[in-house]
Amino acid sequence: MTDEVVISTHQLTKRFGDFVAADQITFDVYKGEIFGFLGANGAGKTTAMRMLCGLSTPSSGEATIAGFDVYKETEKIKKNIGYMSQKFSLYEDLTVLENIRFFGGIYGLSDRQIKEKSEALINQLGLASHGHKLVGSLPLGWKQKLAFSVAIFHDPKIVFLDEPTGGVDPVTRRQFWDLIYAASDEGITVFVTTHYMDEAEYCNRISMMVDGKIKALDAPITLKQQFNTTSMDDVFFELARGAQRGD
Amino acid sequence: MRTLKFLLEKEYKQIFRDTIILRMILAMPLIQLLVMPLAADFEIKNVNIAIVDHDRSPYSQELVSKIRSSGYFVLTDFGSSYRNSFEQLESDEADLILEIPQDFERNLVRENQQSLLIAVNAINGTKATVGGSYLGSIIQDFNGDIKADWITPQGLNQTPLIDINNLNWFNPFLNYQFFMVPGILVLLVTMIGAYMCALNIVKEKEVGTIEQINVTPIKKHHFILGKLIPFWTIGIFVFSLGFFLIARLVYDLVPAGSILTLYAFLSLFLVAILGVGLLVSTYSTSQQQAMSLSFFFMMIFILMSGLFTPIESMPEWAKVFAYANPVTYFIEVMRMIVMKGSGFKDIQNHFLIMTGFALLFNTWAIINYKKTS
């Protein structure tokens, strides 16, 4: 973790008609940091994240991602980020290797790079003997790990993970976080949303979103001290119970 | 270009892995071309007729046997009660009633005139009209025979001597299949364009993979080309399969004009109709929506294309729709090239209009396809 800022937002806002989904969000994320983005359902996490990925145009405010402007330079942003959505989004009717090849290819990797890197990748994931299996036939936990690896296959500066571990068992979650740490060690900034408070503890810093606004932003340990509790659960509860919005 | 290569590679792999799509690509042209031209035939046969003969004379017998031997009618009732026959008409067993009055023969001979009653069940309009006019011409013919019988021996010939000989150009034997098969080929490629392409894109939306594509640096036009090219090639393939295999081997249909010109137009038409599919996909978020939308357009495109009913006989307002329909032009071109042997010069306007359609639909779709919301 360095002082180099890779994500910077200033009063970033997204409105859908009268509804303010994300309300004047301001924060910075540093290079190599694991940044947890927390909030109750409907708090506006996904909306904020979609703006940062260039999938959604902000209504007002400013933001730069990897040094590029979210209004004018979305295509440049897209070259420098990886994204893993809530919905599993690899092609189930392609094999493991074909998926890797496809996503590597569209990010402009050469055939040789793709070949070498994909071999290394499936070995690392323990999928060496499953390279020619259709992704649809893999168990969910493997799919998630594969999806993450594909999202950082082109060595992006930042990877955005939208609830990446939904529905997987604790062991697989642990393994998933090992992958996240490894990516962070290589200097990739990880921006992750989650509902699991144990995962929040793994982050360098977390922000808490309530009703479209950021209510708290600090290291987990500082937040616990600040709210005078020992668990992140309590911190979350303290902050989120005033929420007007929900499911 | 490299991006496009990877997109195409992926698309073809997915299509060839989908056994349902593969089967559709192979079975659709075979079945549609084998079944439809043979069954969906406008020639009316088997008109059910009930004859009421109050006369029972040699002449009336002769008329009846003439009707029966024409091959177009099936006699469902032969009696002397109009009421009985009318019951058959009411219960849909008979399409027509022919009533031969009493003294039919006597009046014919003596007064040289006699009227007959034809009652028509007009629920099935086409069958009734066509059946009625067949019957009319048989009676006319019968009339001629009688007159000839009676008058010729006396040396006076009052039968009109004008004899009309028809010469049918471009389809000398009035083979209905020659007319239908080219049209059905058009239908086939229209289906592929409008349905398969739209469903494929919307499926990516539904599954969520499009979101993953949208966060990559893939350019809009690359993505769209990556979708259009595979279905364009499938369209060409299905057309060729139907054209060279079925139309030639089964129906003996050998195009009178240039195959090259035909394929040039087909290629352009596919771009236009794939544009429609693309447009549908940009407006739908689920495969159901895409299905319903495509179905809506397909129905209009097909029914208003002149495939089944001539555009010339549509009302003026309907002609506007027919000529705002890309399928119309391809059917015209198909029939012109295949049956008439028209060359590029004859269809250059069609080329121009189809280029317009292709540009319109695709530009609209590209503008409406959003990577960012």
Side-chain angles (χ1 to χ4, degrees):
Chain A
M1 202 172 135
T2 61
D3 289 343
E4 189 187 334
V5 175
V6 287
I7 301 174
S8 173
T9 72
H10 183 69
Q11 301 200 327
L12 197 64
T13 302
K14 179 78 181 184
R15 285 185 209 92
F16 298 105
D18 289 341
F19 180 73
V20 187
D23 193 0
Q24 303 188 10
I25 295 172
T26 304
F27 63 87
D28 288 331
V29 181
Y30 303 99
K31 185 172 190 287
E33 187 176 20
I34 301 174
F35 188 84
F37 204 57
L38 277 62
N41 293 328
K45 300 189 301 287
T46 302
T47 307
M49 190 148 162
R50 287 174 58 88
M51 284 194 282
L52 302 180
C53 294
L55 284 174
S56 165
T57 312
S59 309
S60 64
E62 287 135 44
T64 54
I65 312 298
F68 300 109
D69 184 72
V70 284
Y71 293 98
K72 294 181 218 122
E73 299 172 303
T74 50
E75 293 309 306
K76 283 184 184 152
I77 290 175
K78 285 171 184 175
K79 281 203 180 80
N80 287 287
I81 61 167
Y83 174 73
M84 179 180 166
S85 73
Q86 258 168 331
K87 262 186 175 176
F88 175 73
S89 49
L90 294 181
Y91 290 97
E92 305 228 343
D93 49 357
L94 294 180
T95 68
V96 173
L97 283 170
E98 284 165 353
N99 265 295
I100 300 174
R101 180 179 157 73
F102 172 67
F103 284 104
I106 57 179
Y107 278 106
L109 272 64
S110 73
D111 284 329
R112 221 192 64 206
Q113 279 175 309
I114 293 174
K115 197 167 177 294
E116 283 170 5
K117 285 193 76 176
S118 40
E119 265 169 35
L121 175 63
I122 58 173
N123 284 326
Q124 184 202 342
L125 289 178
L127 286 172
S129 55
H130 301 281
H132 294 287
K133 272 198 182 153
L134 294 185
V135 164
S137 69
L138 299 179
L140 183 65
W142 289 13
K143 283 186 192 169
Q144 306 284 68
K145 285 189 275 183
L146 182 64
F148 176 73
S149 306
V150 168
I152 59 166
F153 192 71
H154 58 290
D155 295 318
K157 292 206 171 87
I158 308 153
V159 62
F160 291 91
L161 311 172
D162 194 1
E163 293 177 26
T165 55
V168 300
D169 64 71
V171 178
T172 313
R173 251 169 61 199
R174 186 64 243 192
Q175 292 169 344
F176 193 90
W177 273 88
D178 288 340
L179 290 175
I180 291 180
Y181 278 125
S184 160
D185 286 345
E186 282 168 33
I188 298 177
T189 305
V190 180
F191 187 99
V192 55
T193 73
T194 182
H195 281 305
Y196 298 108
M197 288 308 126
D198 56 331
E199 290 187 353
E201 306 252 15
Y202 302 150
C203 299
N204 299 118
R205 281 192 307 154
I206 59 162
S207 74
M208 262 296 295
M209 241 181 132
V210 180
D211 289 349
K213 293 192 178 71
I214 291 188
K215 278 278 152 75
L217 196 169
D218 220 321
I221 185 146
T222 324
L223 285 176
K224 280 188 281 189
Q225 281 164 1
Q226 189 184 330
F227 285 91
N228 207 6
T229 89
T230 51
S231 78
M232 279 307 295
D233 271 345
D234 292 339
V235 175
F236 186 92
F237 188 72
E238 279 297 322
L239 284 163
R241 70 172 170 189
Q244 304 294 307
R245 303 198 313 227
D247 285 321
Chain B
M1 275 321 282
R2 234 178 101 73
T3 313
L4 190 57
K5 186 193 104 179
F6 281 102
L7 280 166
L8 289 176
E9 191 183 303
K10 158 201 163 261
E11 219 55 62
Y12 279 114
K13 271 182 193 152
Q14 288 182 304
I15 291 169
F16 286 115
R17 217 158 265 175
D18 190 331
T19 48
I20 294 183
I21 289 191
L22 267 189
R23 267 178 252 169
M24 255 177 81
I25 292 170
L26 293 173
M28 220 163 63
L30 294 176
I31 294 173
Q32 288 211 0
L33 278 172
L34 287 177
V35 175
M36 281 176 62
L38 294 175
D41 192 324
F42 282 138
E43 237 190 317
I44 305 275
K45 284 174 187 154
N46 307 328
V47 179
N48 296 316
I49 189 167
I51 297 177
V52 188
D53 187 357
H54 298 295
D55 197 38
R56 305 266 174 176
S57 60
Y59 270 1
S60 73
Q61 299 289 343
E62 199 182 316
L63 179 60
V64 171
S65 78
K66 205 171 168 67
I67 291 167
R68 294 184 64 177
S69 61
S70 70
Y72 291 107
F73 296 96
V74 176
L75 192 62
T76 55
D77 185 45
F78 182 78
S80 46
S81 150
Y82 184 78
R83 183 172 295 169
N84 276 350
S85 297
F86 193 75
E87 270 170 21
Q88 287 213 327
L89 197 74
E90 280 183 319
S91 62
D92 256 353
E93 282 167 64
D95 301 310
L96 290 174
I97 300 175
L98 173 68
E99 192 180 24
I100 304 171
Q102 226 166 353
D103 304 330
F104 172 70
E105 188 179 68
R106 208 189 61 189
N107 287 348
L108 256 183
V109 175
R110 209 180 273 172
E111 291 163 33
N112 204 14
Q113 68 175 46
Q114 176 58 53
S115 54
L116 293 165
L117 172 76
I118 302 174
V120 176
N121 175 358
I123 288 176
N124 182 340
T126 332
K127 207 175 180 185
T129 337
V130 176
S133 69
Y134 282 165
L135 192 58
S137 69
I138 288 171
I139 294 168
Q140 201 89 55
D141 204 31
F142 172 77
N143 205 12
D145 290 349
I146 308 275
K147 277 188 176 162
D149 270 3
W150 276 92
I151 298 164
T152 316
Q154 295 170 4
L156 280 160
N157 197 338
Q158 290 179 344
T159 346
L161 280 171
I162 300 164
D163 199 8
I164 300 163
N165 274 309
N166 287 317
L167 188 56
N168 298 308
W169 279 93
F170 311 125
N171 188 0
F173 303 109
L174 287 179
N175 184 331
Y176 184 70
Q177 283 135 21
F178 277 15
F179 181 69
M180 278 314 276
V181 169
I184 289 172
L185 274 167
V186 174
L187 213 93
L188 271 173
V189 287
T190 310
M191 299 264 277
I192 287 171
Y195 273 114
M196 287 184 147
C197 179
L199 286 184
N200 180 290
I201 298 176
V202 176
K203 187 183 164 200
E204 292 225 21
K205 280 193 189 176
E206 238 176 36
V207 179
T209 44
I210 204 150
E211 183 108 327
Q212 198 67 43
I213 296 284
N214 287 345
V215 288
T216 68
I218 291 181
K219 299 253 182 326
K220 247 192 205 186
H221 64 271
H222 280 150
F223 179 76
I224 287 174
L225 277 176
K227 290 289 180 194
L228 290 189
I229 293 171
F231 290 99
W232 185 85
T233 54
I234 291 174
I236 300 267
F237 173 78
V238 168
F239 183 86
S240 309
L241 195 69
F243 195 67
F244 290 107
L245 197 72
I246 316 258
R248 184 161 289 188
L249 293 185
V250 179
Y251 298 106
D252 240 350
L253 185 72
V254 180
S258 149
I259 293 187
L260 211 68
T261 318
L262 187 63
Y263 268 79
F265 198 83
L266 167 69
S267 307
L268 187 61
F269 172 76
L270 272 169
V271 175
I273 207 74
L274 283 167
V276 175
L278 206 62
L279 193 58
V280 165
S281 78
T282 61
Y283 280 104
S284 354
T285 49
S286 70
Q287 294 191 65
Q288 268 135 315
Q289 285 175 6
M291 265 307 239
S292 326
L293 257 177
S294 311
F295 192 72
F296 172 75
F297 283 113
M298 287 285 290
M299 287 304 275
I300 294 178
F301 278 176
I302 290 166
L303 292 177
M304 302 294 282
S305 67
L307 175 61
F308 298 112
T309 46
I311 294 169
E312 289 73 24
S313 52
M314 291 180 186
E316 287 307 314
W317 61 265
K319 282 184 193 168
V320 175
F321 283 103
Y323 286 111
N325 172 0
V327 180
T328 306
Y329 296 92
F330 191 30
I331 288 182
E332 270 184 27
V333 165
M334 272 296 271
R335 286 175 177 162
M336 282 169 86
I337 294 180
V338 172
M339 297 169 76
K340 257 172 138 175
S342 305
F344 179 74
K345 268 224 152 76
D346 306 304
I347 54 167
Q348 54 187 7
N349 273 339
H350 291 77
F351 264 99
L352 215 66
I353 293 167
M354 196 54 75
T355 311
F357 277 124
L359 285 175
L360 170 75
F361 292 133
N362 286 290
T363 316
W364 186 354
I366 290 173
I367 291 172
N368 201 44
Y369 171 77
K370 289 188 190 75
K371 275 187 85 174
T372 310
S373 58

